[in-house]
Amino acid sequence: MNGKVWLGEFLQTRRSQPQPEDLGIPGYGERRRVPGLRREELASLAGVSVSYYTRLEQGQSLNASPQVLDAIARALRLEEAERLHLHDLARSSATGSGRGRRPAPERVTEATGQLLEALAHVPAIVTGRRSDVLAWNRLGHALFAGHLNPDAPDRPAERPNMARLVFLDAHTRDLYADWPAKAKAVVGNLRLVAGQHPDDTVLHALVGELSAKSSDFASMWADHRVTACAVATYEMRHPLVGPLTVTQQTLSQGLGPDQGQNIVVATTGADSPARTTLALLDQVTSQHDPARQGIRAGSG
């Protein structure tokens, strides 16, 4: 992936979003050929020259300082995740992409496995940085991917990938009442990861595959939206137990051997219908497979 291209495309898409009048730029009733801010208007708001900003957007300036990037972020009123993404893109644009090597399969540490086991009555899965499912507990499998082989995370070559499931799997698409919201969150997170790891050949292959196979993904990817999905509430339509509303929380593993991995848990409100529905799913899946207890964790 070309970091210079991504940086320019990100700036162009974000520049097209604001309404000039919202940023104090008088329009005088003029009709603009393109939406958003002109380059000279953004440069003025950020306190840089038009030629400098133009070179930056065209990938010809490779030494943008953090202060300049923050000034551009403030001018565009970027959210924090977008500001950090801008810095990541500028860094990869300046350093260039190294020769990507195929990384070793990710694996779940013993400590993470113990945590997942402790969450036996809460749907939980462990995902890698490319959204591969590295492990899940019984209820996590039942809620998110009960139609798949429960042992799939054990084998790196067969591991489910949550991005693939959301865009290419009919069961998962039907699982979310507001599928576009879930899909945009998935794409936004992949954008963040791609900016942080510009030389990840496996991640780039995943993006290429999804772009070729899903027009929805290709359209959302081209928008350059980034999203840090820490907490989100979704209405799910489970084929076994019916509708339930869950809050999906992503717990990031920031340091050590688990770096880049996330634990995704689905919680429900106390005394809510969804809590009852989730308990029913727990009961049903236990009856269907009484021998399966604990977790399924990929050994890598």
Side-chain angles (χ1 to χ4, degrees):
M1 292 290 182
N2 191 321
K4 298 176 185 179
V5 173
W6 274 9
L7 174 61
E9 290 178 349
F10 178 72
L11 288 171
Q12 290 170 28
T13 56
R14 296 289 73 77
R15 182 164 58 84
S16 70
Q17 300 301 315
Q19 295 297 322
E21 55 270 23
D22 293 339
L23 300 181
I25 299 174
Y28 304 110
E30 63 178 325
R31 295 187 61 182
R32 294 179 173 236
R33 290 181 298 173
V34 295
L37 300 176
R38 300 186 176 103
R39 285 174 176 165
E40 57 269 25
E41 292 169 339
L42 177 54
S44 177
L45 289 172
V48 298
S49 69
V50 178
S51 61
Y52 178 86
Y53 176 78
T54 300
R55 291 196 304 273
L56 183 65
E57 193 173 281
Q58 293 177 344
Q60 298 173 1
S61 179
L62 306 180
N63 58 349
S65 69
Q67 293 78 13
V68 167
L69 295 174
D70 284 341
I72 293 173
R74 286 193 297 271
L76 289 171
R77 297 184 180 179
L78 300 184
E79 297 180 355
E80 180 64 8
E82 293 175 311
R83 185 187 72 83
L84 295 175
H85 184 62
L86 175 61
H87 280 263
D88 287 335
L89 293 179
R91 190 178 304 112
S92 65
S93 175
T95 59
S97 296
R99 293 185 62 185
R101 294 182 299 173
R102 189 173 184 86
E106 295 177 275
R107 60 183 300 163
V108 174
T109 63
E110 182 178 356
T112 298
Q114 292 172 354
L115 176 58
L116 198 58
E117 189 173 17
L119 298 170
H121 297 292
V122 177
I125 63 175
V126 179
T127 60
R129 75 185 189 197
R130 306 171 201 91
S131 73
D132 292 320
V133 178
L134 309 181
W136 48 29
N137 61 12
R138 177 177 54 79
L139 201 49
H141 167 253
L143 178 64
F144 292 109
H147 63 303
L148 299 182
N149 186 338
D151 299 322
D154 294 349
R155 298 179 287 275
E158 301 176 24
R159 283 174 175 165
N161 178 279
M162 293 308 297
R164 281 195 188 94
L165 291 178
V166 166
F167 282 94
L168 305 180
D169 181 76
H171 173 98
T172 305
R173 191 175 186 123
D174 291 342
L175 192 60
Y176 290 92
D178 187 356
W179 179 84
K182 178 62 178 177
K184 289 176 182 177
V186 168
V187 174
N189 182 69
L190 277 181
R191 269 284 179 199
L192 280 177
V193 176
Q196 295 163 358
H197 303 279
D199 299 327
D200 190 326
T201 57
V202 177
L203 177 59
H204 297 160
L206 173 64
V207 170
E209 175 193 349
L210 293 175
S211 297
K213 294 181 178 179
S214 170
S215 59
D216 290 320
F217 180 89
S219 175
M220 294 179 190
W221 185 257
D223 190 48
H224 283 264
R225 290 287 180 183
V226 295
T227 309
C229 304
V231 181
T233 299
Y234 297 104
E235 180 183 344
M236 305 182 78
R237 302 174 296 196
H238 198 276
L240 287 180
V241 294
L244 71 163
T245 300
V246 303
T247 298
Q248 293 183 17
Q249 302 185 54
T250 301
L251 313 176
S252 299
Q253 307 285 85
L255 300 173
D258 293 332
Q259 185 174 5
Q261 296 179 12
N262 298 304
I263 300 177
V264 181
V265 297
T267 59
T268 55
D271 301 321
S272 67
R275 178 70 60 88
T276 303
T277 302
L278 198 58
L280 176 60
L281 180 62
D282 192 2
Q283 179 183 2
V284 169
T285 54
S286 294
Q287 292 173 347
H288 285 182
D289 196 358
R292 286 195 70 239
Q293 300 295 329
I295 68 169
R296 290 293 182 180
S299 61

